[in-house]
């Protein structure tokens, strides 16, 4: 029995235009030659190039604040603008909507290479053991993690998208954006110019900052210590940072998360840091310097505890999605599903790819990290179960539980292979990284399904995109962080995701007694607060829920210097004001401008690091 109410995805699929035909409510999409072009060289090339460049942004921001961003819409706009501007000069046919879908699929796959371990388990392993991978081996490892995730996504696509009809909100947003771009070309070009302009602005500021060393603007004020001395707010990292990237991040995450970051900075760096110094658990520094180094080594523990307990508690509230995913994992068809050929990857190719991904991943774990075969194989097999969970949760909520997936698998391997940091980190890297990437890629497949794309061609685009991202992203990581042990968990590179993975592995490797003095009670309190706040987020009415601080943001504020939290709060506050004053303009351009700021500063930051390496 069906109801009279259709989902947003079903309504959008009815409105999706075939190229050259007007759809209800949309202007006609310009005619292109038949047959419709889809997997073309220029679509793949643009996706690999744009995605590989955007992978630098996610690696850069991941090492700064532990977050990455979906780059599908950014990639679609950039390709649309580039081929639109060069069309007259080259005489090439229009870059069609299905070509752009292949472009954004490949670009999204490449840009998400950071989830393959480059900002968390890989640097955590180096910090714990000193073990590093050479560039070729690092690229191969990252691609192998992606290969597992892509293979599982291909296997889950039909069930989750066509049978269960999960919404995958980010996929719907990408499809809507593509439809709008091809229905309103002038508006799309305005967005492209806005994106590029904001990117150039952020890049120029970053380059100027590197050349003339623009100082942070110290905030006035001081806090009294028990010794009678005073700690200035600047000592406690309260300052204004000349970073448009962080303001852009704040614009995307919104006011609630930004305000939670500011609150966390006040509690962590403004109050708890002074308690740490008063008790002698960390030493203060020079009077005219920031004391982020010694304080961060202590504060990261309660911060990580809050993030871990909050993410696991929120994950537990998704039990219905988890159960539905497990219950539906064995389904292969649905009586109501369409009978027509949808261009799926054939069973032979899927099973062959599955076997290659499994064997390659197990072999690499054994050879590169000396992990026992049964532990390595278990890590890959766990991926399939956790991918169902991650895909289901992400499909229903648009939130991929990356942090929770990583911690669940680390805890599992901490029990299975105690005292072995490589097994704890790298087997969990495969499981958590591949599962989270699988969930992200299902959003791109949802976009393709709405637009009428061919599933097997999207799978090919995802593979090629991941290859480009692994090659470029691994090189960028090694350029940015040649010495993780000394560069990370510092003022410049807080690396909160790596700190979280390292902390969990360290507990299983060395025991609680190896933690800094006084940190265990703080972790217990912070962990309990994370649980309570995560529960309140789920059970309170929506109107009241917005006033509950985000526990993930609160915990993150402990692990990054206060000036990053202040900058992100400013971005969130700006987005709130603009949303009230100019809601239509904000809906059209805020995320575009914020994405440009993030991409521009990230790319310039990588360029500055490369220049310093080549011309010290």
């Amino acid at each position: 029995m069906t109801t009279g109410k259709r989902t947003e995805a079903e309504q959008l699929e009815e409105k999706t235009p075939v190229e050259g035909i007007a759809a209800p409510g949309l202007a006609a999409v310009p005619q292109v030659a038949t047959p419709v072009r889809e997997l073309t060289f220029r679509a793949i090339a643009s996706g690999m190039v744009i995605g590989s460049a955007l992978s630098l942004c996610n690696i850069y921001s991941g090492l700064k604040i532990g977050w990455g961003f979906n780059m599908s819409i950014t990639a679609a706009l950039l390709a649309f603008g580039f081929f639109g501007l060069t069309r007259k000069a080259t005489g090439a046919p229009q870059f069609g909507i299905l070509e752009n879908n292949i472009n954004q699929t490949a670009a999204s796959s490449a840009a998400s290479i950071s989830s393959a371990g480059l900002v968390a388990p890989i640097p955590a392993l180096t910090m714990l053991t000193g073990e590093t991978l050479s560039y070729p081996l690092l690229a191969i490892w990252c691609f192998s993690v992606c290969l597992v995730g892509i293979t599982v996504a291909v296997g889950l696509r039909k069930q989750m998208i066509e049978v269960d009809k999960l919404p995958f909100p980010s996929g719907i947003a990408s499809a809507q954006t593509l439809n709008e771009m091809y229905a309103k070309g002038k508006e799309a070009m305005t967005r492209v110019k806005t994106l590029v302009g904001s990117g150039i602005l952020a890049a120029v500021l970053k380059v100027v900052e590197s050349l003339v060393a623009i100082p942070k603007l110290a905030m006035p004020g001081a806090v009294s210590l028990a010794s009678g001395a005073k700690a200035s707010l600047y000592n406690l990292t309260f300052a204004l940072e000349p970073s448009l990237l962080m303001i852009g991040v704040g614009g995307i995450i919104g006011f609630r998360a930004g305000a939670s970051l500011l609150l966390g900075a006040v509690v962590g760096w403004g109050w708890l840091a002074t308690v740490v110094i008063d008790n002698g658990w960390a030493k203060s520094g020079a009077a005219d310097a920031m004391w982020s180094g010694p304080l961060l080594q202590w504060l990261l523990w309660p911060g990580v505890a809050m993030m871990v307990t909050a993410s696991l508690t929120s994950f537990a509230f998704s039990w219905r999605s988890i159960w539905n995913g497990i219950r539906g994992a064995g389904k292969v068809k649905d009586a109501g599903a369409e009978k027509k050929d949808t261009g799926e990857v054939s069973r032979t190719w899927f099973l062959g790819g599955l076997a290659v991904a499994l064997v390659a991943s197990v072999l690499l774990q054994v050879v590169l990290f000396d992990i026992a075969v049964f532990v390595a194989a278990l890590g890959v097999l766990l991926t399939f179960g956790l991918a169902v969970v991650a895909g289901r949760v992400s499909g229903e909520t648009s939130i991929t539980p990356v942090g929770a997936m990583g911690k669940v698998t680390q805890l599992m391997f901490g029990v299975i292979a105690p005292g072995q940091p490589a097994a704890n980190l790298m087997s969990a890297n495969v499981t958590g990284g591949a599962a989270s990437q699988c969930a992200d890629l299902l959003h791109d497949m949802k976009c393709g399904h709405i637009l009428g794309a061919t599933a097997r061609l999207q799978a090919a685009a995802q593979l090629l995109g991941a290859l480009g991202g692994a090659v470029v992203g691994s090189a960028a990581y090694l350029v940015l962080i040649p010495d993780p042990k000394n560069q990370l968990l510092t003022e410049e590179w807080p690396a909160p995701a790596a700190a979280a993975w390292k902390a969990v592995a360290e507990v299983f490797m060395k025991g609680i007694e190896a933690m800094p003095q006084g940190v265990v009670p703080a972790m217990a309190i912070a962990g309990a607060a994370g649980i309570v706040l995560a529960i309140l987020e789920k059970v309170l009415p929506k109107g009241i829920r917005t006033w509950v601080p985000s526990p993930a943001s609160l915990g993150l504020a402990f692990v990054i210097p206060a000036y990053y939290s202040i900058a992100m709060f400013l971005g969130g506050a700006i987005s709130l004001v603009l949303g009230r004053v100019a809601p239509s303009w904000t809906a059209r351009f805020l995320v575009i401008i914020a994405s440009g700021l993030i991409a521009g500063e990230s790319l310039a930051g990588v360029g500055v690091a490369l220049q310093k390496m080549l011309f010290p």
Side-chain angles (χ1 to χ4, degrees):
M1 187 176 76
T2 59
T3 64
K5 187 175 181 180
R6 294 163 297 157
T7 66
E8 182 182 5
E10 291 169 333
Q11 294 177 50
L12 183 59
E13 287 179 53
E14 289 183 9
K15 295 197 297 181
T16 300
V18 176
E19 298 194 38
I21 303 175
L26 291 176
V29 176
Q31 278 279 11
V32 296
T34 54
V36 175
R37 288 175 298 277
E38 190 169 354
L39 186 69
T40 61
F41 174 78
R42 64 180 181 173
I44 285 293
S46 63
M48 291 180 71
V49 171
I50 293 172
S52 296
L54 294 175
S55 72
L56 310 184
C57 306
N58 276 338
I59 293 169
Y60 189 89
S61 63
L63 292 170
K64 288 281 189 182
I65 58 172
W67 290 339
F69 303 92
N70 187 296
M71 296 293 185
S72 297
I73 292 175
T74 300
L77 283 169
L78 289 173
F80 181 86
F82 174 79
F83 288 111
L85 291 172
T86 59
R87 184 182 178 191
K88 289 184 178 180
T90 61
Q94 185 194 21
F95 191 62
I97 191 171
L98 293 183
E99 281 185 290
N100 208 340
N101 177 61
I102 291 293
N103 158 75
Q104 68 89 16
T105 299
S108 175
S109 181
S112 64
I113 196 66
S114 57
S115 69
L118 289 175
V119 301
I122 290 171
L125 181 68
T126 303
M127 287 188 285
L128 276 177
T129 68
E131 184 174 355
T132 59
L133 294 177
S134 64
Y135 168 60
L137 292 179
L138 182 59
I140 291 170
W141 170 256
C142 290
F143 181 68
S144 73
V145 175
C146 293
L147 183 61
V148 175
I150 292 170
T151 305
V152 177
V154 169
L156 294 177
R157 176 197 172 278
K158 189 174 184 67
Q159 178 64 42
M160 291 195 171
I161 293 176
E162 295 188 25
V163 177
D164 293 340
K165 299 185 185 300
L166 297 181
F168 288 98
S170 294
I172 292 176
S174 296
Q176 287 175 328
T177 300
L178 282 166
N179 273 323
E180 289 173 2
M181 285 165 54
Y182 285 85
K184 305 173 183 177
K186 185 177 292 186
E187 169 75 6
M189 289 305 295
T190 301
R191 292 186 184 184
V192 171
K193 292 174 184 176
T194 303
L195 176 70
V196 173
S198 61
I200 292 173
L201 174 64
V204 169
L205 180 61
K206 182 64 180 178
V207 172
V208 171
E209 180 194 357
S210 69
L211 294 175
V212 301
I214 301 174
K216 298 176 180 66
L217 181 61
M219 298 185 70
V223 178
S224 297
L225 300 175
S227 63
K230 288 186 178 293
S232 70
L233 291 181
Y234 183 78
N235 294 147
L236 301 176
T237 73
F238 284 87
L240 295 179
E241 162 82 353
S243 170
L244 292 179
L245 181 148
M246 296 301 166
I247 293 177
V249 171
I252 290 177
I253 64 176
F255 181 74
R256 175 174 174 257
S260 300
L261 282 162
L262 182 63
L263 176 61
V266 171
V267 173
W269 293 91
W271 171 70
L272 187 55
T274 63
V275 175
V276 172
I277 294 171
D278 286 340
N279 284 277
W281 298 333
K283 293 182 179 179
S284 58
D288 61 346
M290 287 187 171
W291 302 343
S292 56
L295 289 173
L296 182 60
Q297 298 298 324
W298 198 97
L299 289 173
L300 71 86
W301 290 95
V304 167
M306 185 179 292
M307 289 190 288
V308 170
T309 58
S311 63
L312 292 178
T313 303
S314 296
F315 186 53
F317 270 88
S318 301
W319 66 270
R320 285 191 179 86
S321 298
I322 297 169
W323 171 244
N324 289 335
I326 294 171
R327 187 179 60 181
K331 296 180 183 178
V332 294
K333 62 182 180 178
D334 178 73
E338 296 181 2
K339 304 296 184 181
K340 67 177 183 179
D341 177 22
T342 56
E344 294 287 335
V345 175
S346 70
R347 180 178 294 272
T348 301
W349 277 98
F350 170 68
L351 293 177
L354 193 64
V356 170
L358 191 152
V359 171
S361 182
V362 171
L363 185 63
L364 286 170
Q365 290 179 69
V366 173
V367 172
L368 297 181
F369 307 109
D370 197 26
I371 296 173
V373 174
F374 87 93
V375 175
L378 179 62
V380 179
L381 294 175
L382 279 173
T383 300
F384 302 112
L386 291 179
V388 172
V389 173
R392 188 92 198 182
V393 173
S394 186
E396 293 183 358
T397 67
S398 195
I399 299 172
T400 304
V402 179
M405 302 302 285
K407 300 307 162 289
V408 166
T409 50
Q410 273 196 279
L411 293 173
M412 286 181 182
F413 287 110
V415 175
I416 295 168
Q420 300 179 33
N424 184 281
L425 289 166
M426 305 320 292
S427 293
N429 179 187
V430 174
T431 306
S436 64
Q437 186 163 62
C438 163
D440 290 342
L441 293 179
L442 283 169
H443 286 273
D444 295 322
M445 290 180 164
K446 177 69 175 186
C447 174
H449 177 66
I450 293 172
L451 296 175
T454 307
R456 57 176 169 265
L457 300 185
Q458 270 197 287
Q462 287 171 338
L463 279 172
L464 292 171
L467 177 61
V471 169
V472 176
S474 298
Y477 168 75
L478 293 173
V479 168
L480 284 171
I481 313 293
D483 184 10
K485 210 161 191 174
N486 292 315
Q487 284 184 270
L488 298 182
L489 307 189
T490 62
E491 181 183 321
E492 183 179 7
W493 299 106
W501 281 68
K502 175 178 176 287
V504 174
E506 207 163 19
V507 170
F508 284 103
M509 180 182 174
K510 300 178 180 179
I512 293 178
E513 62 275 4
M515 295 180 181
Q517 186 181 2
V519 85
V520 174
M523 289 179 66
I525 295 171
I531 293 172
V532 171
L533 291 172
I535 292 173
L536 292 177
E537 280 186 319
K538 298 295 183 180
V539 302
L540 289 177
K542 189 174 181 180
I544 302 175
R545 193 185 310 163
T546 56
W547 295 95
V548 176
S550 162
S553 298
L554 277 174
L556 176 64
F558 282 52
V559 189
I560 59 177
Y563 53 78
Y564 282 152
S565 297
I566 293 170
M568 286 187 277
F569 167 74
L570 290 176
I574 291 170
S575 71
L576 177 68
V577 172
L578 288 176
R580 299 283 176 84
V581 174
S584 176
W585 183 92
T586 302
R588 291 162 56 208
F589 293 109
L590 176 65
V591 173
I592 299 299
I593 293 173
S595 299
L597 296 177
I598 294 168
E601 183 169 327
S602 300
L603 294 174
V606 174
V608 169
L610 183 61
Q611 181 268 328
K612 289 180 179 178
M613 184 184 75
L614 296 176
F615 307 102

